[in-house]
Amino acid sequence: MRILEQGASNLQGGGEGSAEAVGMIMLAMSTLLYRSGRRQDAMEKLKATQQVAPSAAFRVAAWEATMGLSMEAYQDINTSVSPDDLVDLSIKDDNMKWSNQDHLKSRVNAIKGLIALINGETESALFFDGYKDPFAGVGNEHTENAVLSYGEYLHCVGDYPLATQMYERVLETTSMEDMSGNVLAACNMATEEVSLGATCSYGQLLSHSGKFSEAEDYLTRALKKAEEQFGANHPKVGIVLTCVARMYKLKAKSEGSSSIMVQEGLYRKALEVLKAPAINSESVSRLMDWRDIISLARGEYAELLLVQSNRKAEGERMKEWAEDAWRNRRLSLAQALEFSRPSKLTVVDTRIGRVI
């Protein structure tokens, strides 16, 4: 961090290209802060980046990451937010205007669509109008994040074929070797996060499609990516483990088999990594990180216990806790636990750690 700070300081007021270099360093600093567990400091750095951004592209990238962290932190935000909120609107330079650049508008609208989804707003589809062409923008002008969000929207409403195209194209693009070095993105919207998110979401879609062998493959890849990028005890690992456990639940239901021990082991590990508060604690009434995922995992775990006569009381307590903790605006916990309604599918977004 000190090296990055020194680099930014040395470049201040430099020659041609120095402003862009400072912007890149500030985005990198925000990502480093985020990954070290300092989310609020990362958000402050992103806000500073927006204010000194040398171009609209930098401003949108910093705003996109700020919104990503805000969603992860369960902050109350709505679709009226804009990259212009923290900057001087008297700026007339066309280079600073994002609204007349289609690829930047797509990124902004996709974030608004994601916000609409987590807020349970039916208007979320309106923000994705620019993606009627399945491959428009993918791999061009850093729109992979936006296309992933569109894929998740399609997944949520049951359009598996088009969602599949979106996920596969994003995975193809983010697998390019030099991708991460050229993309203006930060924090939980960085390229590595997009790759992890697309891998996990595609695994969930394959599971919802009944393609369990392929689903297991993609979810295993997602788990490996999460462990390699963040460490075995990072919350992102717990999020992916929850998705893996849900895949085994759906597989057992589809095949008329049982995998209670496997599922229980996965949910226990996921909740441990997510640092879920104890059932008898009062933490549920306070702000809790990863609330959606912890509540979902506990709800699923409770269902496993409720079918075992000697553990039914434990299951009832766990179910009550999960229902009390659940705050999702699009789905009730009962709907999130149910797989039978394509129009009310549960999709876990690993970028923001939310159920959408």
Side-chain angles (χ1 to χ4, degrees):
M1 178 62 74
R2 289 183 179 178
I3 294 174
L4 290 174
E5 289 174 343
Q6 186 62 50
S9 177
N10 292 341
L11 287 166
Q12 293 287 353
E16 184 178 353
S18 61
E20 286 76 11
V22 170
M24 290 294 291
I25 289 174
M26 291 181 74
L27 289 176
M29 289 169 68
S30 68
T31 300
L32 186 59
L33 288 166
Y34 169 65
R35 292 192 175 180
S36 63
R38 298 165 61 184
R39 184 195 292 142
Q40 189 57 45
D41 289 338
M43 293 178 75
E44 292 301 320
K45 184 64 67 176
L46 289 168
K47 290 176 183 177
T49 306
Q50 284 180 259
Q51 292 170 345
V52 301
S55 69
F58 277 93
R59 190 198 308 171
V60 168
W63 175 84
E64 179 183 65
T66 302
M67 293 300 101
L69 296 188
S70 297
M71 285 185 273
E72 180 183 289
Y74 291 82
Q75 293 184 2
D76 191 14
I77 51 179
N78 58 53
T79 55
S80 67
V81 291
S82 163
D84 294 331
D85 291 342
L86 296 176
V87 298
D88 183 358
L89 294 180
S90 66
I91 295 174
K92 301 299 183 183
D93 186 353
D94 285 343
N95 188 46
M96 294 300 294
K97 295 179 180 178
W98 60 269
S99 56
N100 59 5
Q101 301 182 52
D102 288 344
H103 64 285
L104 296 181
K105 285 175 65 177
S106 294
R107 291 177 70 172
V108 171
N109 284 337
I111 286 292
K112 292 187 176 190
L114 194 57
I115 292 170
L117 272 176
I118 65 173
N119 285 343
E121 298 170 7
T122 57
E123 65 190 49
S124 55
L126 300 176
F127 295 106
F128 294 112
D129 279 346
Y131 293 97
K132 297 303 182 185
D133 176 357
F135 303 124
V138 187
N140 178 41
E141 303 291 357
H142 319 320
T143 56
E144 290 71 31
N145 238 317
V147 178
L148 173 56
S149 296
Y150 181 41
E152 290 180 333
Y153 160 74
L154 294 166
H155 188 170
C156 284
V157 299
D159 189 342
Y160 292 178
L162 193 49
T164 295
Q165 292 183 59
M166 293 296 162
Y167 290 152
E168 290 181 344
R169 190 64 172 180
V170 172
L171 287 171
E172 178 185 341
T173 306
T174 56
S175 68
M176 294 168 56
E177 290 184 357
D178 62 345
M179 187 73 183
S180 60
N182 296 324
V183 175
L184 290 180
C187 300
N188 61 359
M189 296 288 145
T191 304
E192 298 85 356
E193 295 267 6
V194 177
S195 177
L196 172 61
T199 305
C200 188
S201 290
Y202 192 22
Q204 293 174 75
L205 183 147
L206 290 165
S207 177
H208 293 153
S209 303
K211 300 176 181 179
F212 299 112
S213 178
E214 294 174 68
E216 184 173 7
D217 178 44
Y218 273 90
L219 290 172
T220 300
R221 292 188 208 179
L223 184 59
K224 183 178 179 181
K225 285 183 180 184
E227 290 175 338
E228 289 177 348
Q229 291 172 20
F230 305 106
N233 294 312
H234 193 278
K236 298 279 183 178
V237 173
I239 294 171
V240 178
L241 283 170
T242 300
C243 296
V244 175
R246 284 173 56 80
M247 182 273 293
Y248 278 112
K249 171 189 174 180
L250 186 55
K251 180 181 180 182
K253 182 177 180 180
S254 175
E255 297 176 350
S257 59
S258 175
S259 58
I260 288 178
M261 292 184 65
V262 173
Q263 291 178 60
E264 180 171 358
L266 288 166
Y267 285 127
R268 286 173 66 91
K269 180 61 177 178
L271 290 165
E272 176 188 335
V273 173
L274 289 164
K275 296 180 173 59
I279 294 292
N280 58 358
S281 74
E282 297 180 358
S283 299
V284 67
S285 63
R286 302 195 297 270
L287 186 63
M288 179 174 64
D289 281 342
W290 321 112
R291 178 186 289 270
D292 272 10
I293 313 301
I294 292 173
S295 303
L296 181 65
R298 279 247 164 94
E300 299 279 18
Y301 193 175
E303 289 197 337
L304 291 178
L305 300 178
L306 288 170
V307 299
Q308 303 175 58
S309 58
N310 62 330
R311 305 181 71 183
K312 191 170 183 179
E314 181 186 357
E316 291 288 359
R317 290 194 300 273
M318 191 174 291
K319 180 181 178 182
E320 183 179 354
W321 189 98
E323 289 174 341
D324 189 31
W326 187 254
R327 296 288 187 276
N328 191 281
R329 297 178 182 178
R330 191 177 78 89
L331 302 164
S332 67
L333 181 59
Q335 289 173 325
L337 298 176
E338 180 58 60
F339 290 99
S340 61
R341 295 182 60 190
S343 62
K344 285 288 186 180
L345 285 171
T346 303
V347 181
V348 172
D349 185 319
T350 63
R351 293 172 300 175
I352 59 176
R354 300 285 294 269
V355 172
I356 59 174

